[in-house]
Amino acid sequence: MEVSVPPHPCVILRTNSNLLNPIPRVVLLPSIKQPLASINHQKSTICSSAIKALDSPMDTVRDRIGSVKRVTNETNVVVELNLDGVGSPDSSTGIPFLDHMLDQLASHGLFDVHVKAAGDTHIDDHHTNEDVGLAIGTALLNALGDRKGINRFGDFTAPLDEALVHVTLDLSGRPHLSYDLQIPTERVGTYDTQLVEHFFQSMVNTSGMTLHIRQLAGKNSHHIIEATFKAFARALRQAIEYDPRRRGTVPSSKGVLSRS
């Protein structure tokens, strides 16, 4: 069965900044005929596209991607980070638990996080963990560019069973970490739980991020750490998304956000 959709499933009105003589902008979408089951999806897609065309800054046309290769005498790390991805994880660091946490970053931030690392894990995981954090922070820095139009701030609290972790961040250009996790065991599997703080400190240092992590509840080490990565992913997702009201301007009274 076919039915007629109302002639204008999405009408968008905008005015210019001259309040004394506003000029309306109207987007009228043509009528369509199609099966009833697909009408709502079609209308949603059309409306979303029209809104994005009006509200998004020009630099949202392309994905924001940061690619980094970091090579030292201790590690060889390659990172590609797409902030406008679909949540595609592909991490192989030689540290299984860190790979699991990077998968959380991809899945809950809807970032494409591809990390390949080889390091001196026969000694311990310290150098690889650190350099992966540094490389991801640099990739984030490169992907953000001038940070025009973004929300800049992110805040999220994530539960995982008995664990509850709160993360607040500011893509300020000023590196700072406040870290307050009470992880009860020294290891999760083979992963040294002291390396969680070191990972975030490394990423903060190169990305130019102010990051606050607070544990509100939790007894299980795995749950506490995983809740932290999930909360961080969601807070970062908030911060990097575009604010249509900002219309592509830098979210700072100074007019610039940088690491300096």
Side-chain angles (χ1 to χ4, degrees):
M1 182 180 76
E2 290 190 345
V3 297
S4 295
V5 180
H8 306 301
C10 181
V11 177
I12 303 171
L13 299 176
R14 293 288 187 271
T15 61
N16 68 356
S17 58
N18 185 348
L19 297 179
L20 297 179
N21 185 26
I23 301 174
R25 297 173 59 196
V26 182
V27 175
L28 299 179
L29 302 176
S31 61
I32 56 176
K33 285 188 175 182
Q34 61 186 56
L36 180 62
S38 63
I39 289 175
N40 289 337
H41 174 74
Q42 180 76 11
K43 289 171 67 177
S44 174
T45 302
I46 293 172
C47 293
S48 297
S49 298
I51 291 169
K52 184 175 182 180
L54 287 178
D55 283 339
S56 297
M58 291 299 294
D59 58 358
T60 63
V61 174
R62 62 175 180 81
D63 287 351
R64 293 168 292 175
I65 299 174
S67 298
V68 173
K69 184 173 184 179
R70 177 183 173 86
V71 180
T72 71
N73 291 333
E74 298 165 339
T75 65
N76 187 328
V77 179
V78 177
V79 169
E80 184 173 279
L81 175 65
N82 183 355
L83 298 180
D84 301 299
V86 295
S88 167
D90 183 14
S91 293
S92 178
T93 65
I95 307 173
F97 186 75
L98 181 59
D99 292 344
H100 180 46
M101 293 302 102
L102 296 180
D103 288 351
Q104 307 310 307
L105 179 59
S107 176
H108 295 280
L110 286 180
F111 311 129
D112 296 342
V113 181
H114 299 169
V115 181
K116 302 298 179 187
D120 54 0
T121 53
H122 60 283
I123 299 174
D124 66 11
D125 295 340
H126 183 97
H127 295 142
T128 302
N129 179 86
E130 176 183 24
D131 285 2
V132 167
L134 291 170
I136 290 176
T138 303
L140 175 60
L141 177 72
N142 294 340
L144 284 171
D146 55 19
R147 313 188 187 200
K148 288 182 177 179
I150 63 171
N151 288 322
R152 173 178 166 178
F153 299 97
D155 183 278
F156 200 85
T157 302
L160 180 55
D161 295 348
E162 89 298 341
L164 186 65
V165 177
H166 177 219
V167 171
T168 299
L169 62 86
D170 175 11
L171 298 176
S172 59
R174 297 184 300 273
H176 174 81
L177 175 66
S178 288
Y179 176 93
D180 185 16
L181 296 184
Q182 297 85 43
I183 303 173
T185 63
E186 293 183 357
R187 293 189 178 274
V188 174
T190 61
Y191 187 75
D192 183 349
T193 55
Q194 288 184 332
L195 296 181
V196 177
E197 180 176 7
H198 197 51
F199 172 85
F200 283 108
Q201 184 66 69
S202 300
M203 188 183 59
V204 160
N205 288 346
T206 50
S207 67
M209 176 193 303
T210 297
L211 176 61
H212 290 256
I213 299 172
R214 291 190 304 146
Q215 179 182 331
L216 304 179
K219 297 179 180 179
N220 180 281
S221 298
H222 189 133
H223 292 171
I224 293 166
I225 299 169
E226 186 167 334
T228 299
F229 274 82
K230 288 178 176 177
F232 173 74
R234 290 299 296 265
L236 183 59
R237 177 178 164 187
Q238 287 178 14
I240 63 97
E241 287 180 345
Y242 286 107
D243 178 356
R245 292 184 60 196
R246 194 161 289 284
R247 297 184 180 273
T249 60
V250 175
S252 171
S253 58
K254 298 188 295 292
V256 63
L257 288 174
S258 67
R259 287 199 68 256
S260 58

